[in-house]
């Protein structure tokens, strides 16, 4: 009874203003557009959400410790380009490295994630030991990564991917079952259900479960929230703050590497422009989902909600056939409002 009486409608609307507005926009779009709730649109939503959720999970750890990572988008782009270099067809005329042996996509994925971990280690070390503010450190890394990507690719777009790599993005659980059993499931109810689950969604689910466990059931997660709440108090309590921060940024970059690998497979090509601006989307999604930029607060479920809301916003604007320029305006306003609401909640608590 006390919980019911303590419910404040005004506070609820204020705290969830963006989510409620996007829900209203989705309802409006549904009544004014055809096929908004179609199977293809739903699958498109899942496929677009999957890599962005993985990126947002990486950014969330940085935000929880009062940091940020403005290099996330460029790291995703570099990861997509490295994936392209490793997984082009052997007989592709414009193959970046003609003498490179045939590499299975799981091995290439691990290589990409390991390469990106180096950038995360540098970010974390600069922030933890040199005491450079995360905003400045990761902004500098953004330019460094972009430069490395431009040099390594010669500013040339890459394509000609192996079928096995393309299938990572285009395949569904139904495809996998057919490959294993050799049976045709297209007309069966089981096949219809399995066709709803793309491989990309499986990657996102695995990452989500792992991050939830890491944040809620491990010492690392407790240290992370402690640093975000009060870094000085955490240090006095015996938390190795520099080591924890470095681990957070390494994990973030590993997730960017995985996301870049998936983005490359989904796009069917990669260039220096791949994943441009993704870091801002990730920060906005985290903030919408309750991950406070002021540190110490955030849940994986909130990150998922934030990514979902942001993707629904973009799909609604596309279905309403607005000029793409207005889409950028809307996304920018959402980012500003999300951070402003987060700051307002932080100041209200003080």
């Amino acid at each position: 009874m006390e919980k019911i009486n303590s419910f404040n409608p005004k506070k609820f609307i204020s705290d969830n203003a963006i989510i409620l507005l996007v829900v209203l926009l989705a309802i409006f779009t549904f009544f004014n557009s055809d096929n908004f709730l179609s199977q293809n649109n739903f699958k498109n939503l899942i496929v677009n959400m999957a890599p962005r959720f993985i990126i947002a999970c990486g950014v969330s750890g940085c935000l929880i410790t009062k940091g940020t990572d403005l290099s996330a988008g460029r790291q995703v782009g570099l990861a997509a380009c490295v994936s392209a270099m490793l997984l082009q067809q052997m007989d592709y005329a414009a193959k970046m490295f003609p003498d490179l042996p045939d590499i299975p996509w799981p091995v290439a994925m691990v290589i990409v994630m390991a390469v990106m971990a180096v950038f995360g280690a540098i970010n974390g070390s600069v922030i933890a030991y040199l005491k450079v503010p995360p905003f400045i450190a990761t902004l500098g890394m953004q330019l460094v990564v972009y430069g490395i990507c431009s040099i390594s690719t010669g500013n040339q777009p890459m394509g000609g991917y192996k079928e096995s790599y393309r299938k990572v993005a285009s395949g569904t659980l139904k495809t996998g079952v057919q490959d294993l059993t050799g049976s045709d499931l297209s007309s069966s109810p089981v096949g219809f259900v399995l066709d709803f689950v793309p491989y990309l969604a499986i990657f996102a689910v695995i990452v989500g479960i792992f991050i939830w466990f890491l944040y809620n059931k491990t010492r690392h997660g407790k240290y992370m929230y402690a640093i975000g709440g009060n870094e000085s108090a955490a240090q006095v309590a015996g938390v190795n703050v520099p080591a924890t921060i470095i681990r957070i940024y390494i994990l973030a970059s590993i997730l960017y590497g995985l996301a870049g690998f998936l983005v490359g497979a989904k796009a069917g090509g990669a260039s220096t422009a791949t994943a441009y601006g993704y870091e801002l989307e990730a920060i906005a999604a985290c903030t919408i989902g309750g991950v406070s930029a002021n540190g110490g607060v955030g849940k994986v479920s909130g990150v998922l909600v934030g990514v979902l809301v942001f993707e629904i916003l973009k799909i609604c604007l596309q279905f309403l056939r607005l000029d793409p320029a207005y889409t950028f305006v809307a996304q920018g306003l959402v980012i500003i409002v999300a951070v402003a609401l987060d700051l307002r909640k932080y100041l209200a608590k003080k």
Side-chain angles (χ1 to χ4, degrees):
M1 195 70 179
E2 290 180 2
K3 289 184 179 179
I4 296 175
N5 293 333
S6 65
F7 177 73
N8 187 334
K10 184 178 179 181
K11 184 177 183 301
F12 176 80
I13 293 173
S14 176
D15 291 347
N16 299 280
I18 294 176
I19 296 175
L20 295 173
L21 286 173
V22 171
V23 169
L24 291 175
L25 178 62
I27 294 172
F28 176 80
T29 306
F30 169 70
F31 285 109
N32 289 273
S33 303
D34 296 328
N35 302 320
F36 183 68
L37 293 181
S38 65
Q39 177 183 350
N40 286 337
N41 193 36
F42 182 68
K43 284 180 64 177
N44 185 49
L45 174 64
I46 295 175
V47 167
N48 287 334
M49 278 183 61
R52 287 170 170 81
F53 172 68
I54 294 171
I55 299 167
C57 282
V59 171
S60 68
C62 306
L63 292 174
I64 288 171
T65 52
K66 293 185 179 178
T68 190
D69 195 345
L70 298 181
S71 67
R74 290 304 186 186
Q75 288 194 52
V76 172
L78 177 60
C81 290
V82 174
S83 300
M85 295 175 190
L86 298 175
L87 292 168
Q88 289 178 308
Q89 296 174 25
M90 297 299 292
D91 57 350
Y92 184 57
K95 187 175 172 64
M96 183 66 69
F97 297 109
D99 298 329
L100 195 69
D102 188 22
I103 300 175
W105 70 259
V107 175
M109 181 178 71
V110 173
I111 292 173
V112 170
M113 287 162 50
V115 169
M116 303 318 299
V118 174
F119 294 101
I122 295 171
N123 268 340
S125 297
V126 169
I127 293 166
Y129 291 116
L130 300 183
K131 303 301 180 184
V132 176
F135 177 87
I136 301 299
T138 58
L139 180 62
M141 182 57 73
Q142 179 189 87
L143 297 176
V144 170
V145 172
Y146 179 67
I148 291 173
C149 190
S150 298
I151 294 168
S152 60
T153 63
N155 286 315
Q156 297 298 316
M158 290 176 289
Y161 294 164
K162 297 192 298 184
E163 177 61 28
S164 60
Y165 180 38
R166 293 199 300 266
K167 204 177 211 181
V168 171
S170 62
T172 64
L173 273 180
K174 185 176 77 172
T175 308
V177 173
Q178 284 176 334
D179 289 343
L180 290 173
T181 64
S183 58
D184 183 12
L185 299 170
S186 57
S187 59
S188 69
V190 173
F192 181 78
V193 172
L194 293 178
D195 198 37
F196 262 120
V197 186
Y199 289 154
L200 289 178
I202 298 172
F203 282 99
V205 169
I206 292 172
V207 169
I209 292 172
F210 170 75
I211 295 297
W212 177 88
F213 181 83
L214 185 70
Y215 284 9
N216 295 281
K217 302 295 180 181
T218 67
R219 186 177 299 175
H220 172 81
K222 293 177 182 177
Y223 289 173
M224 182 180 69
Y225 285 105
I227 292 170
N230 189 322
E231 183 176 329
S232 298
Q235 200 153 16
V236 170
V239 175
N240 189 334
V241 174
T244 303
I245 290 175
I246 291 171
R247 285 196 297 267
I248 287 168
Y249 281 88
I250 289 175
L251 175 61
S253 290
I254 289 173
L255 293 178
Y256 305 152
L258 174 59
F261 177 87
L262 299 177
V263 166
K266 176 177 173 290
S271 70
T272 53
T274 299
Y276 174 76
Y278 276 29
E279 68 280 353
L280 299 180
E281 290 186 18
I283 293 170
C286 287
T287 308
I288 292 169
V291 180
S292 177
N294 295 292
V297 178
K299 295 180 180 179
V300 176
S301 57
V303 174
L304 179 61
V305 170
V307 173
L308 176 63
V309 167
F310 212 78
E311 287 305 309
I312 289 177
L313 170 66
K314 290 191 288 185
I315 289 175
C316 287
L317 296 178
Q318 290 170 4
F319 267 83
L320 293 174
R321 297 180 181 177
L322 291 181
D323 187 299
Y326 289 103
T327 301
F328 286 112
V329 172
Q331 291 176 17
L333 289 174
V334 166
I335 291 171
I336 293 170
V337 173
V339 174
L341 290 174
D342 174 60
L343 182 60
R344 178 180 173 276
K345 286 187 284 187
Y346 173 73
L347 293 174
K349 290 178 181 178
K350 290 188 72 175

